């Protein structure tokens, strides 16, 4: 059986580029498997309660880093091919072109380096319980207010 190795032409391609290209070859396209959107900084109990509703949905996360608060949705791009390559490479959006593989999701998970990262209802609920003294009384307070206003 014939076989051959593809030689690494270190004299023509910088070895660093070869290593980086291999990195993407080994990766399951982590950078094409989620989206993020900056959100207003949550401050009130009501704002955090709304985040709690959202994080209860599968694949919905929140994080805070030095740039602020962000929503993260785990969702694979519809143009990702079965071999994890981009199916619209020539038409891919600018943000995809800007993304560098030098220090990317393959090297360290997104939550690394975040000040706060919430991926479950219980994680955010626990944080809110520490942050707000009356967190666990909010539902009773809301219901009492509805009764007082005659809504219920
Ligand atoms: S840039 Fe990083 S996260 Fe994206 S495919 Fe390459 S190694 Fe994976
Ligand atoms: S358009 Fe291409 S590069 Fe951009 S997220 Fe989708 S598959 Fe990835």
């Amino acid at each position: 059986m014939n076989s051959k190795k593809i030689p690494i032409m270190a004299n023509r391609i910088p070895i660093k580029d070869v290593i980086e290209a291999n990195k993407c070859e080994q990766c399951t396209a982590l950078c094409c498997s989620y989206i993020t959107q900056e959100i207003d900084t949550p401050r009130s109990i009501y704002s955090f309660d709304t985040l709690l509703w959202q994080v209860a949905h599968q694949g919905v996360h929140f994080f805070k880093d030095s740039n602020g608060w962000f929503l993260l949705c785990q969702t694979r791009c519809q143009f990702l091919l079965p071999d994890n390559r981009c199916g619209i490479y020539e038409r891919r959006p600018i943000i995809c072109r800007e993304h560098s593989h030098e220090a990317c999701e393959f090297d360290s998970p997104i939550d690394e380096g975040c000040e706060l990262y919430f991926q479950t209802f219980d994680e955010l609920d626990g944080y809110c319980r520490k942050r707000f003294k009356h967190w666990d009384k909010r539902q009773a307070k809301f219901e009492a207010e509805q009764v007082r206003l005659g809504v219920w």
Side-chain angles (χ1 to χ4, degrees), residues 52-92:
L52 198 61
W53 160 61
Q54 293 170 321
V55 81
H57 293 72
Q58 210 164 16
V60 174
H61 301 175
F62 290 98
F63 67 87
K64 177 181 186 285
D65 66 12
S66 56
N67 295 313
W69 281 79
F70 290 83
L71 162 75
L72 181 148
C73 294
Q74 288 184 325
T75 174
R76 274 173 73 86
C77 177
Q78 63 178 296
F79 296 113
L80 207 49
L81 299 173
D83 66 357
N84 292 320
R85 291 176 188 277
C86 177
I88 55 160
Y89 193 75
E90 297 304 326
R91 294 168 52 213
R92 71 195 191 287

Side-chain angles (χ1 to χ4, degrees), residues 7-128:
I8 295 175
M9 294 180 290
N11 58 333
R12 291 168 60 183
I13 304 171
I15 193 71
K16 178 175 158 294
D17 290 352
V18 173
I19 292 166
E20 295 295 353
N22 285 343
K23 191 162 91 171
C24 291
E25 293 291 336
Q26 294 163 30
C27 180
T28 53
L30 297 173
C31 57
C32 302
S33 303
Y34 69 92
I35 58 115
T36 59
Q37 180 66 49
E38 189 170 6
I39 60 170
D40 291 341
T41 299
R43 299 188 198 283
S44 66
I45 284 187
Y46 186 77
S47 298
F48 275 98
D49 189 72
T50 302
L51 298 192
L52 198 61
W53 160 61
Q54 293 170 321
V55 81
H57 293 72
Q58 210 164 16
V60 174
H61 301 175
F62 290 98
F63 67 87
K64 177 181 186 285
D65 66 12
S66 56
N67 295 313
W69 281 79
F70 290 83
L71 162 75
L72 181 148
C73 294
Q74 288 184 325
T75 174
R76 274 173 73 86
C77 177
Q78 63 178 296
F79 296 113
L80 207 49
L81 299 173
D83 66 357
N84 292 320
R85 291 176 188 277
C86 177
I88 55 160
Y89 193 75
E90 297 304 326
R91 294 168 52 213
R92 71 195 191 287
I94 291 168
I95 194 167
C96 304
R97 296 164 193 262
E98 287 174 336
H99 187 268
S100 165
H101 58 211
E102 281 188 18
C104 66
E105 298 83 341
F106 188 75
D107 304 304
S108 54
I110 295 170
D111 58 340
E112 242 175 54
C114 288
E115 206 176 301
L116 298 167
Y117 195 95
F118 305 107
Q119 54 184 331
T120 67
F121 183 99
D122 286 340
E123 284 173 2
L124 183 59
D125 193 46
Y127 170 81
C128 291

